[in-house]
Amino acid sequence: MQLDDWMHQEPRRFEYFHRLMGYIMLSLVLVVYHQTVPDTSYQIFIPFLLVLLLLLSPKLSQWLTYRYNSNIKRNVFFIIDVAVVSVMLAAVHLDLVLSFLGLSALLYTAISNKISFLMTTLASLIGTTVFYLSAILVFGLGNYFEQSSSELTILGFICLMMYFGVGSFYQSGRVQYMTKKKNHYFDQMNRYMEFANQLSRYAPVQLWQSIMKGESEAKIEYKRKKLTIFFSDIQGFTELSETLIPDDLAFLLNDYLSHMTEIAKKYEATVDKFMGDAILIFFGDPNSEGVEQDAKNCLEMALAMRQQMKLLRERWVKMGYPPLHIRMGISTGYCHVGNYGANHRMAYTIVGRDANLAARLQSAAEVDEILISDDTHNLIKNDYLCAPKKPIFLKGIKAPVRTWQVMERYAFQKVEYQRWFDYEYKGFHLLLNLDEVQNFDYPNLIEVLERMIKRIETQQKLTNSQGIVKLKLEDEVIETVPPETIR
């Protein structure tokens, strides 16, 4: 167990250990070769060279890793191993068995260390050069490709099998260790993702995604942006809570909030908070499609919520609950949005006049009414049919607030609902701006337009097709034509 831990925790130590093992085997083979083959002299000094390389290799490995990287280090040591084997092959005069075993060990080293083909080719050229230099300058050009003795053959195969076995044992153990570690990290990642998903339910999904992607940080900061704010609550829910048991009250509230939240999610709204049956939602941060489109998305969401509430109300009535209705207020303006609180506990929310205005509009709205501010109306009036309401005084706001009731989205051509008319043709000029007309002025406008229509119809009866005014019968002159002219 300790050997496995040592191998897995210190791969560089095993690399040194494996090289030490290979060099010892080479030294043993050369010593036996020196003792069993006549006319050998310098082969006995090669083990001393290998000991020197083993002593220098830790420092060299550390320097290469620090100066370059581990890949360069592996390539350099592979070239050194090729040079060592080349010297050994020159020392044994390319003994058939020993040459095969040495080349097999190099091939195994190249594969296990993932040496590239280009580097293998370069190392082969260097090894060939080292081989000929060693043969010419040190060991001489003797008889090559001779048969190995039985002692060298057995010893060589035993050394090669041990070299392969230790390396394969390490590789398989390393693979198992990494697989186990990967599975452990994968399980931990799934566990943390489950925790993150659970925690994300306590924060707006856009904020959570932004933090997970590294686009924002969980720190106290805020910014000023133009937002569209939505506020709604259930009419009479406080009184209803006094008559229902807690289980029924919790069912109604959770059923309502879950459906409204799904609609808000569909329109990519930022759900700020739930305050009992009240919902605070805004558009424009952290994601925005532009101020105008944010306002339109908010209106679409409000209409969808109102429609969904009709379905919920019908279902609740069938279940024996009283009919419930909602009121909604929407405003658009500049607010401060960001993280407020302390370093250990903060909340992502909005602060500003228009946030309070949306709440006040909701309080002033009628049952199932969507009441919007004048700034919001200016952004959506080309796509939604809205009815102006009398300016109202709201708590906390000094000046009267001009409000609009959202009716529906234009389903036909906009000309049927256009709010500005400017038509001029040959003595006729109509200029009408419905944005400046209050609902109590509509009867007067209709009366004036009806008088205009009657006057035009009277004028049409007084003129002929050429536009000439018709005369009365007594005004017409009858001319007598002489008979001779008729001929």
Side-chain angles (χ1 to χ4, degrees), residues 6-24:
W6 175 72
M7 288 169 53
H8 299 321
Q9 294 177 4
E10 298 291 343
R12 288 180 296 180
R13 290 188 179 181
F14 177 79
E15 180 183 351
Y16 178 78
F17 168 76
H18 205 212
R19 178 168 289 103
L20 173 64
M21 180 180 174
Y23 285 3
I24 291 175

Side-chain angles (χ1 to χ4, degrees), residues 270-314:
T270 301
V271 180
D272 189 323
K273 61 174 68 72
F274 302 123
M275 295 166 285
D277 61 310
I279 307 176
L280 176 59
I281 299 173
F282 59 86
F283 289 77
D285 191 81
N287 300 326
S288 175
E289 298 181 20
V291 176
E292 182 176 345
Q293 188 59 44
D294 288 341
K296 293 178 181 179
N297 290 340
C298 186
L299 262 292
E300 285 292 328
M301 181 193 70
L303 292 173
M305 287 182 173
R306 184 167 65 180
Q307 183 63 30
Q308 182 64 36
M309 192 60 185
K310 294 179 182 179
L311 302 177
L312 292 176
R313 183 164 54 247
E314 293 177 1

Side-chain angles (χ1 to χ4, degrees), residues 15 43 68 75 87 100 126 142 146 244 286 303 346 375 381 387 470:
E15 180 183 351
Q43 286 81 351
Y68 301 101
N75 292 332
V87 172
F100 171 75
I126 295 175
E146 292 185 354
L244 294 178
L303 292 173
M346 61 186 67
D375 290 334
K381 62 184 180 182
K470 298 178 181 177

Side-chain angles (χ1 to χ4, degrees), residues 366-383:
E366 301 294 335
V367 172
D368 294 329
E369 185 178 74
I370 303 174
L371 201 61
I372 66 175
S373 66
D374 197 46
D375 290 334
T376 304
H377 175 259
N378 292 331
L379 296 171
I380 57 90
K381 62 184 180 182
N382 294 327
D383 295 285

Side-chain angles (χ1 to χ4, degrees), residues 63-299:
W63 180 79
L64 290 173
T65 304
Y66 175 78
R67 184 67 183 272
Y68 301 101
N69 52 55
S70 58
N71 188 38
I72 296 295
K73 183 201 70 174
R74 284 197 302 269
N75 292 332
V76 170
F77 274 96
F78 178 70
I79 293 175
I80 294 175
D81 292 340
V82 170
V84 169
V85 172
S86 299
V87 172
M88 187 272 294
L89 293 180
V92 299
H93 299 290
L94 287 181
D95 183 277
L96 287 177
V97 175
L98 297 181
S99 299
F100 171 75
L101 297 179
L103 295 176
S104 299
L106 285 179
L107 181 61
Y108 175 81
T109 302
I111 295 174
S112 61
N113 290 333
K114 299 180 181 179
I115 305 299
S116 65
F117 177 77
L118 180 62
M119 184 56 59
T120 303
T121 304
L122 177 61
S124 300
L125 294 176
I126 295 175
T128 302
T129 304
V130 172
F131 169 79
Y132 279 110
L133 290 176
S134 301
I136 295 172
L137 300 178
V138 181
F139 303 108
L141 300 173
N143 296 326
Y144 290 93
F145 304 111
E146 292 185 354
Q147 293 292 334
S148 303
S149 62
S150 56
E151 295 87 352
L152 281 175
T153 301
I154 295 173
L155 179 62
F157 275 102
I158 291 175
C159 292
L160 183 65
M161 294 305 296
M162 289 180 63
Y163 185 78
F164 283 177
V166 172
S168 300
F169 173 76
Y170 171 77
Q171 294 294 342
S172 61
R174 188 69 180 169
V175 169
Q176 294 178 2
Y177 174 78
M178 295 302 295
T179 302
K180 183 179 178 180
K181 202 169 184 179
K182 182 191 72 173
N183 293 335
H184 172 72
Y185 287 146
F186 186 75
D187 293 339
Q188 290 295 320
M189 182 182 68
N190 286 338
R191 183 165 170 262
Y192 290 139
M193 287 301 297
E194 290 177 2
F195 289 158
N197 288 331
Q198 293 180 15
L199 292 174
S200 68
R201 300 176 185 178
Y202 294 92
V205 61
Q206 297 91 340
L207 176 66
W208 173 74
Q209 291 176 349
S210 179
I211 293 176
M212 293 297 292
K213 293 178 182 178
E215 297 175 355
S216 62
E217 299 180 11
K219 61 181 181 180
I220 297 177
E221 63 178 1
Y222 57 87
K223 53 193 171 183
R224 188 170 183 265
K225 293 186 68 176
K226 194 168 188 178
L227 308 174
T228 296
I229 302 99
F230 170 91
F231 199 95
S232 71
D233 76 345
I234 300 177
Q235 174 71 22
F237 189 81
T238 303
E239 294 77 7
L240 179 65
S241 62
E242 299 177 356
T243 61
L244 294 178
I245 62 175
D247 290 344
D248 290 341
L249 185 67
F251 166 75
L252 285 176
L253 185 59
N254 290 330
D255 194 24
Y256 166 73
L257 293 178
S258 63
H259 282 87
M260 298 301 109
T261 303
E262 285 298 321
I263 295 175
K265 182 179 178 181
K266 175 183 177 182
Y267 290 95
E268 299 183 355
T270 301
V271 180
D272 189 323
K273 61 174 68 72
F274 302 123
M275 295 166 285
D277 61 310
I279 307 176
L280 176 59
I281 299 173
F282 59 86
F283 289 77
D285 191 81
N287 300 326
S288 175
E289 298 181 20
V291 176
E292 182 176 345
Q293 188 59 44
D294 288 341
K296 293 178 181 179
N297 290 340
C298 186
L299 262 292

Side-chain angles (χ1 to χ4, degrees), residues 428-430 445-459:
F428 178 80
H429 186 196
L430 174 63
L445 285 178
I446 294 174
E447 182 182 354
V448 171
L449 292 175
E450 286 178 347
R451 292 208 314 261
M452 290 177 58
I453 293 173
K454 290 180 181 178
R455 180 66 184 87
I456 294 174
E457 289 176 347
T458 301
Q459 187 67 21

